[in-house]
Amino acid sequence: MYHIDFQKPRRVHFIGIGGISMSGLAEILITEGFRVSGSDSVRSHLTDHLISLGAEIHIGQRAANIAEDIEVVVYTAAIRPDNEEYQAAIQRGLPVLSRAELLGQMMKNYRAAIAVSGTHGKTSTTAMISEILMTAGKEPTISIGGIMPSIGGNIRVGKSECFVTEACEYTNSFLHFFPTTAVILNVREDHMDFFRDLQEIRDSFRQFAELLPEGGLLVINRDIPELEELTRDLRCRVKTYSLSAPDADFRAVNVVLDEDACGSFDVVKRGVTMGRIRLKVPGTHNVANALAAIAVADSMGIGLDEMQVGFEHYTGVERRFEKKGVVGGVEVFDDYAHHPDEIRATLTMANQVKKKKLWCVFQPHTYTRTRAFLKEFIEALAMADEVVLAKIYAARESDNLGVSSEDIARGLREKGKKAVYLESFGEIEDFLLQHCVHGDLLITMGAGDVVKVGEALLGK
């Protein structure tokens, strides 16, 4: 496999450069002196930003984009083998790397490489760790799957040998990584268009843990069922955290949620109280995420006082219970939640801060996930007072599974909940304008483009 060497910058071409992860990796290479070009189907603020940094961007993917001086090509998982540019690169005998392979190669250039994995919570926890490292003067390079206000985007090029990134299990992409510290937040069923069952997912996370070198560190949630199957006989060190398990290395006790559902808690390390932490983001699940971040920071010699400064700077990332504004006395939030566990966590927060009625506009993400978790989606969404279902966001899939958002709406109505399925965003916006009243809380939810609904309402 081709290996990226920061000491020998090359000309690199990205097929699908406009994605949030791909654009971030491209920016890192540009900063390190690489010549970067790329293509995408549409122009965006991300492609415009790369152009401002000196990248050559093509809108539309064509064989002609593979210029003679290109030395290596990087592609996203969405690129099919018959893609014109991909085929041109293969025919020319150029080395090609997937996004995950490039990210893994990058990690090998850093002495301390931190990779945060889990079915959900990766972006928030990666951001928490990043804020702590920045305030502690560790100068990390950061690659994150969301927009961090403190760095003005999803990428930060640091000045040290410390690298922080998310590690996604989909298509086993994180098995291409080279972490020295890894975090496993949770292991649940998801991405069932790729994985056969939960056991196969667990096997993938076990293989991820096995990537850690002797002397490396695994920080893992003690509450994961049958934890020993994931940690037995690893060559690295293992530290656990938990909100409840008394034998965890790091625990949160005396947890208190304020009127905005933001948590404060005492940190207990192996029976000794280290001090108290206060968060500026809501939800008990963020207390758990913070514990994972604390365990990582502690291993790097960062004291709890410095960690608290980092947590004070962490006010969330875009699309994670993000308050978008107020229209007609209705508070409008947006959240990326697209898994039943994430929906439950987000709606729990929303119920704690709502004044009157809680409205949820949910856009399911992919047909396979909707079919696999139909019952679980119904149960989770029932936590809202009123649910509006948008059309399934297909992403990489085709509509051939016989499942629809109406199935979720019907299931909610059978449980006695108020739920409606509307085909277009325009219909949803009109419906909400007619029915939401002053004091209600409205949250748009999903990994697709449902955020446009709330933004449209705020503009009306």
Side-chain angles (χ1 to χ4, degrees), residues 134-153:
M134 287 190 294
T135 57
K138 298 295 185 181
E139 282 293 325
T141 292
I142 301 164
S143 175
I144 188 169
I147 303 299
M148 283 179 63
S150 61
I151 63 174

Side-chain angles (χ1 to χ4, degrees), residues 165-212:
T165 188
E166 294 182 33
C168 182
E169 75 276 15
Y170 183 56
T171 68
N172 288 325
S173 63
F174 63 0
L175 299 186
H176 295 291
F177 290 3
F178 296 90
T180 59
T181 295
V183 178
I184 299 179
L185 300 166
N186 35 66
V187 181
R188 301 295 300 271
E189 287 180 304
D190 199 8
H191 302 302
M192 304 312 291
D193 58 325
F194 177 77
F195 293 109
R196 181 177 60 252
D197 52 28
L198 178 58
Q199 186 56 52
E200 191 169 57
I201 296 172
R202 290 176 61 88
D203 291 343
S204 183
F205 276 94
R206 167 69 194 198
Q207 292 175 60
F208 174 64
E210 290 173 348
L211 296 176
L212 288 160

Side-chain angles (χ1 to χ4, degrees), residues 97-123:
L97 296 173
S98 68
R99 181 203 63 83
E101 289 169 337
L102 172 62
L103 182 51
Q105 292 298 327
M106 282 184 173
M107 294 175 76
K108 295 184 73 173
N109 291 281
Y110 294 86
R111 183 179 58 82
I114 303 166
V116 181
S117 74
T119 308
H120 41 262
K122 294 183 289 294
T123 300

